[in-house]
Amino acid sequence: MKFYLTKAAQRQAESGEPRSQDGARARASTASAALDESSRRARSRRSVGQAPAPTATAASAPAAPPPPISRSKPAKGVIAIGGVPRVDLLPPEVRAERHAAVNVRRAWTGVVGLVVIVGVAGATAAIYASAATATLASSQKETSSLIMQSAGFSEVNTVQNETDLVGAAVRVGGSTDIDWPSYLAKVKATVPNGMELATVTIDSATPVVAYAQATTPLEGQRVATLTFSSTSSSLPDVPTWLTSLRTLPGYTDASAGTVALSAGVYTSNVVVHVDSEAFSKAYSKEGK
């Protein structure tokens, strides 16, 4: 059996709040529809030869209760026909005020978070600063202790400084030293046979005065000048001697002087210039 509800009955069933007059009208309409359907089916059965079904008058037939109506929420995307109408009468100013309140709460939350971060950073920096201060105080204390301990060795430090000063003076004073005995022995070995070394004149640099250099363009730098005088009974072989002098340490250049004959004896002069390679370096650190 099917029941057809009017729109008023459907709205009444969905709202769940029946009204006195509307409810009575809805029930009467439902009962009338049920009786008409029952009479129609009885007439159809008699027309096909079936046994007649007992009929009931409108007064004696009880009103059939309407079937339960589900109040489940409509699915999304489906328009509910006959639903409860809703109207949002909230002013826009109230929504704007609520939205502003939400923004204010978010802003205050950000401010509180920033304050927390700054506080944590400040606390961390304070901890590191305290540790650095403690380390500095410990280092200063250790330095003061070392200074106090070194004060007991002040005399030793004085002697050490004086020793260093004397050593520096020795190195400066011996910077132009040439081992002349050994050097003259090498010069004597270069004298040719038949000639004898008679006199030697030495002019060398000093630690405090620079040695005068030659003005002749072809002469090299020198730190000392040696002038030799030799004698021989025959004509001296000066060119051979000049060639042998090139083997001397620090040799720069050499030149022959005059050759004189007196009482059967030949006297010849030779001038030799030497550079810094002739220094002995006995008093420098490199020479030790």
Side-chain angles (χ1 to χ4, degrees):
M1 181 180 294
K2 297 183 180 180
F3 295 93
Y4 297 92
L5 300 179
T6 62
K7 291 186 178 180
Q10 185 178 359
R11 285 197 299 270
Q12 178 183 352
E14 289 179 356
S15 61
E17 297 179 357
R19 299 179 182 179
S20 59
Q21 296 179 0
D22 294 341
R25 293 175 181 174
R27 285 193 296 271
S29 176
T30 303
S32 177
L35 289 175
D36 293 341
E37 180 66 20
S38 178
S39 298
R40 187 181 61 80
R41 288 190 177 188
R43 286 194 300 270
S44 64
R45 281 196 297 268
R46 282 196 298 269
S47 63
V48 295
Q50 294 180 351
T55 60
T57 61
S60 63
I69 299 175
S70 176
R71 298 184 180 181
S72 60
K73 295 182 178 180
K76 292 183 177 180
V78 179
I79 301 176
I81 301 176
V84 179
R86 299 179 182 274
V87 178
D88 189 2
L89 301 178
L90 193 65
E93 293 78 4
V94 177
R95 292 196 189 92
E97 184 178 356
R98 291 179 180 178
H99 186 67
V102 171
N103 292 337
V104 169
R105 286 195 298 271
R106 290 178 180 175
W108 278 110
T109 302
V111 170
V112 172
L114 181 60
V115 170
V116 171
I117 293 174
V118 171
V120 172
T124 304
I127 292 173
Y128 279 106
S130 177
T133 302
T135 303
L136 178 61
S138 177
S139 300
Q140 290 177 347
K141 184 177 180 181
E142 184 177 359
T143 302
S144 300
S145 176
L146 293 175
I147 291 174
M148 293 179 62
Q149 293 178 9
S150 62
F153 301 95
S154 59
E155 296 181 359
V156 177
N157 293 333
T158 302
V159 173
Q160 182 66 39
N161 294 335
E162 293 178 355
T163 302
D164 294 341
L165 182 61
V166 171
V170 169
R171 287 192 295 273
V172 172
S175 61
T176 58
D177 176 71
I178 299 177
D179 188 4
W180 289 117
S182 175
Y183 201 88
L184 292 177
K186 295 177 181 178
V187 171
K188 187 176 182 179
T190 62
V191 178
N193 294 329
M195 298 178 61
E196 293 183 0
L197 196 61
T199 61
V200 177
T201 303
I202 300 174
D203 182 21
S204 62
T206 64
V208 295
V209 178
Y211 192 75
Q213 302 299 315
T215 57
T216 305
L218 298 180
E219 292 186 357
Q221 298 290 324
R222 75 284 305 273
V223 296
T225 300
L226 290 83
T227 304
F228 305 118
S229 175
S230 64
T231 60
S232 62
S233 58
S234 60
L235 186 65
D237 190 2
V238 176
T240 302
W241 192 14
L242 293 176
T243 302
S244 300
L245 288 173
R246 296 178 180 177
T247 60
L248 294 176
Y251 172 86
T252 300
D253 55 57
S255 60
T258 60
V259 177
L261 177 62
S262 175
V265 177
Y266 291 94
T267 303
S268 58
N269 298 320
V270 174
V271 177
V272 179
H273 298 123
V274 295
D275 57 16
S276 59
E277 294 295 328
F279 291 154
S280 64
K281 300 180 182 180
Y283 300 97
S284 62
K285 292 183 179 180
E286 292 81 1
K288 291 184 180 181

